[in-house]
Amino acid sequence: MNHKEISIFPRKLLGEDAAAIVLSLTVVAYVVSLFLTAIVHSHEVLLGGGVLLLGWLGPLAGSFAWFANPLLIFAMYFSKDKPSAAKLAAFFGFALALTAFGIKTIPSDNGSYEVLGFGAGCYLWLACFPAVFIASFLSSRKSRAPAPGD
């Protein structure tokens, strides 16, 4: 396999709109993650949508992972027009999102609950960050590619 074959592999696999396909799948994955279990704690499970609605209160518990969401949305929105900025947002968003694994307890009006684990919604949400990074990378490759006939 020569260098030219490697550089166009995603386009061969997904077609010319590889970035759009990856980005579309990322958006679908993000929405699906809202309906799946994100956090399992000693009292119940929290779905991704609930975590999204209440996660901005995370700093009260010492967690800033929720703030990765605006970076993810930014990266999704700008992955085609500003792929460099989108890649940076996806990278830093992913780093911030990984801090979710540092959550040990969730405060509640009835005390606090011990976090027992993380569900598929959390992992699907985390997978959105590298996926949008890849979509941005494919967009940047497409924008630098010479037009047919050049």
Side-chain angles (χ1 to χ4, degrees):
M1 196 179 261
N2 64 33
H3 176 67
K4 189 170 191 152
E5 288 177 30
I6 292 171
S7 67
I8 62 171
F9 176 71
R11 288 193 190 142
K12 281 186 175 180
L13 182 65
L14 298 173
E16 285 299 314
D17 291 330
I21 292 169
V22 172
L23 184 61
S24 297
L25 291 173
T26 303
V27 171
V28 169
Y30 184 80
V31 171
V32 169
S33 76
L34 300 176
F35 296 96
L36 298 174
T37 299
I39 299 175
V40 178
H41 61 78
S42 56
H43 182 66
E44 63 182 324
V45 298
L46 294 174
L47 299 180
V51 174
L52 180 63
L53 289 175
L54 297 174
W56 62 273
L57 293 168
L60 298 175
S63 172
F64 296 89
W66 180 88
F67 294 97
N69 284 296
L71 291 171
L72 180 61
I73 300 302
F74 176 90
M76 287 179 183
Y77 187 78
F78 289 107
S79 67
K80 183 177 179 186
D81 296 332
K82 298 181 181 187
S84 295
K87 285 188 277 189
L88 273 172
F91 177 80
F92 287 113
F94 187 59
L96 194 56
L98 287 174
T99 66
F101 293 117
I103 300 170
K104 301 298 179 209
T105 59
I106 297 175
S108 171
D109 42 343
N110 295 331
S112 62
Y113 301 111
E114 180 184 357
V115 173
L116 302 175
F118 299 90
C122 178
Y123 295 110
L124 190 56
W125 172 65
L126 286 171
C128 291
F129 291 91
V132 78
F133 185 91
I134 291 167
S136 301
F137 175 76
L138 293 172
S139 287
S140 67
R141 302 270 305 163
K142 188 175 183 179
S143 65
R144 288 189 311 204
D150 285 347

